[in-house]
Amino acid sequence: MSPIEPPLSFNPAGIELDRRQGLTRQLYQALRQRVLDGRLVSGTRLPASRDLAAALAISRNSVVRAYDQLYAEGFIEARVGDGTYVAHLPQNPARGAKLSTKPSTGLSTSLSPGLSTNLSNSVDISNRKVIHSSALERLDRHHLPRPPSGPPRAFRVGVPAFDLFPFEVWAKLNAAFWRRPDLQHLCYGDPAGDWRLRGLIAAYLRSSRGLQCGAEQIVITSGAQQAISLCAQLLVEPGDGVAIENPGYRAAGHAFAIAGANLHGVAVNAEGFDCTALSQLEGCRLAYVTPSHQYPTGVVMSLARRLELLAWAERSDGWIVEDDYDGEYRYSGAPLAPLAALDRSGRVLYVGTFGKVAFPALRLGYLVLPAGLVQAFAQRRAVDVRHSEISTQAVMAEFMAAGHFQRHIRRMRRAASSRRDAVLAGWPRDVAGLGDLPTMTAGLHFMVKVDSLEREEALVAKAEAVDVEVNALSRYWLPGPGVPTDAQAGLVLGFAAVPPAAIAQALARLRQAWAD
């Protein structure tokens, strides 16, 4: 009969405590980590609380509280009349193994007295298994870059004149909501969004866009990007073809690609999206377009092209995702009627946002959907976020109902027009390789052609050197076979982010930088 082996004992010599910090918490974490990484194996006997307190020169109460926490979490167990032991835990590959970035040598090493291990059990971090997932691989290729940091500066794209937003009015409406909130607003809300806000958006679109829709067709989203992502999640099966403008809004392409779509870049010319090229694509049942002000070229899709696109959707039983991201900004006449206003067969999903008339951080957008899709979109959105943040929706509804929204849009349109004029007045002339300014009748940005990719890169670098943001048009093209061509070169600039005086100063710096 073999003799009973005595339990392993623990030597606390390796525990160092900082007297300026909580001693109980430090001791608990030190013991817990030793159990997790295998330095304290199952069955190891721990010192009595009085003995451990004496060894560490701390109060017994600190040790008792640390032991109590470890016991509550299952790391140790007390045996009546026999002391405290490390609990028997399931074997974990990380336990009993020393993580090392160095190759194993096969040599043994000693740890604290009473405990030992062998480097033959060591795990080389470089050999850890990598999780393979097609979704993760798609995300690795299709993700959004980090946005520019710091306050807006010339000529940041996608930023409205939010320095003019009536924050005092918004703050009063927000305070009024929280002063006496309706209790139903504090519960879980409708995933499609606040009914009152949906009704006000529908009324606004009917009067300003000629889009005949009702509150029941609208789903509130966390900005336009979530609206596009929902379209990708519900309308695209892996392997489906999706047509996107090329050059175009890359973030939309990323959303469809992550859903498993095969992206087809469709050229944009003076009339907009090339519907002839679209018709020749096989297996394509969805098109994403920005017809009112193409992003980034600024082209307005002609009526003939709009009708062609609608006919394609009806003929192919396809869908059109229309992104009207800055349709409020029209500098000659009223805003254009959207593609959705011409739709008679329920094939257009209209994406709108408050980010371009308020401020991007608001994260408030919406979808106007064919009636048969509303429930599915609301259900899918609920899986991700349950519902939108309630107070923002309620405050925006009051902001619109009280007339502040329409007044603010008029003010923003005047400001954007003034800032556009500042660009036209001070734009550098006769810069080598740089094309002429386009006619800017809509939107918050413009595009200027450059004669080569090399010149594009140089102009962008020189602008950045004088603290001016200028985007390269080549970054908006869908990656394809071969290298980018000089025909894809250009500059994309936003003109609404800063006041006219700041625009004039930035243009003066550009003139000097580009004169070289």
Side-chain angles (χ1 to χ4, degrees), residues 91-278:
Q91 183 62 34
N92 184 320
R95 297 179 65 241
K98 181 181 179 182
L99 296 180
S100 173
T101 57
K102 299 179 180 179
S104 173
T105 63
L107 301 176
S108 62
T109 183
S110 61
L111 300 176
S112 57
L115 295 176
S116 67
T117 187
N118 191 291
L119 282 179
S120 61
N121 294 326
S122 67
V123 178
D124 188 347
I125 292 178
S126 64
N127 291 330
R128 289 183 300 180
K129 288 185 177 179
V130 177
I131 299 175
H132 290 286
S133 162
S134 59
L136 290 176
E137 290 172 358
R138 289 196 298 270
L139 181 62
D140 187 53
R141 298 191 304 272
H142 299 281
H143 59 270
L144 305 184
R146 291 183 64 86
S149 60
R153 56 176 180 161
F155 293 94
R156 185 169 296 177
V157 176
V159 177
F162 62 75
D163 54 305
L164 302 179
F165 188 77
F167 290 104
E168 292 96 352
V169 172
W170 186 267
K172 289 178 181 178
L173 296 176
N174 191 60
F177 171 84
W178 286 114
R179 194 174 298 118
R180 292 182 180 177
D182 187 331
L183 294 184
Q184 69 175 354
H185 282 147
L186 304 185
C187 299
Y188 289 104
D190 186 341
D194 179 78
W195 180 260
R196 185 185 184 212
L197 178 59
R198 293 159 67 191
L200 288 164
I201 291 172
Y204 165 68
L205 292 174
R206 289 194 299 268
S207 64
S208 68
R209 298 288 202 286
L211 178 53
Q212 298 305 311
C213 61
E216 69 282 354
Q217 292 178 255
I218 293 177
V219 170
I220 304 299
T221 63
S222 297
Q225 188 62 32
Q226 188 189 48
I228 297 168
S229 183
L230 284 172
C231 294
Q233 293 164 19
L234 289 174
L235 302 180
V236 175
E237 293 288 341
D240 283 355
V242 170
I244 61 173
E245 299 164 325
N246 202 25
Y249 182 46
R250 292 296 307 281
H254 293 328
F256 291 114
I258 287 175
N262 293 324
L263 300 183
H264 299 284
V266 175
V268 176
N269 56 29
E271 290 191 69
F273 197 65
D274 187 346
C275 295
T276 301
L278 172 65

Side-chain angles (χ1 to χ4, degrees), residues 38 61 97 166 196 214 322 375 377 394 461 506 512:
N61 285 340
R196 185 185 184 212
E322 177 183 16
Q375 183 177 359
F377 272 71
Q512 183 175 1

Side-chain angles (χ1 to χ4, degrees), residues 366-377:
Y366 52 89
L367 275 163
V368 182
L369 299 164
L373 295 180
V374 176
Q375 183 177 359
F377 272 71

Side-chain angles (χ1 to χ4, degrees), residues 165-167 169-171 173 196-197 200 354 357-358 392-409:
F165 188 77
F167 290 104
V169 172
W170 186 267
L173 296 176
R196 185 185 184 212
L197 178 59
L200 288 164
F354 290 98
V357 293
T392 301
Q393 295 184 75
V395 172
M396 179 55 77
E398 188 60 33
F399 189 75
M400 297 179 75
H404 301 299
F405 183 67
Q406 289 283 24
R407 286 193 291 274
H408 179 60
I409 285 179

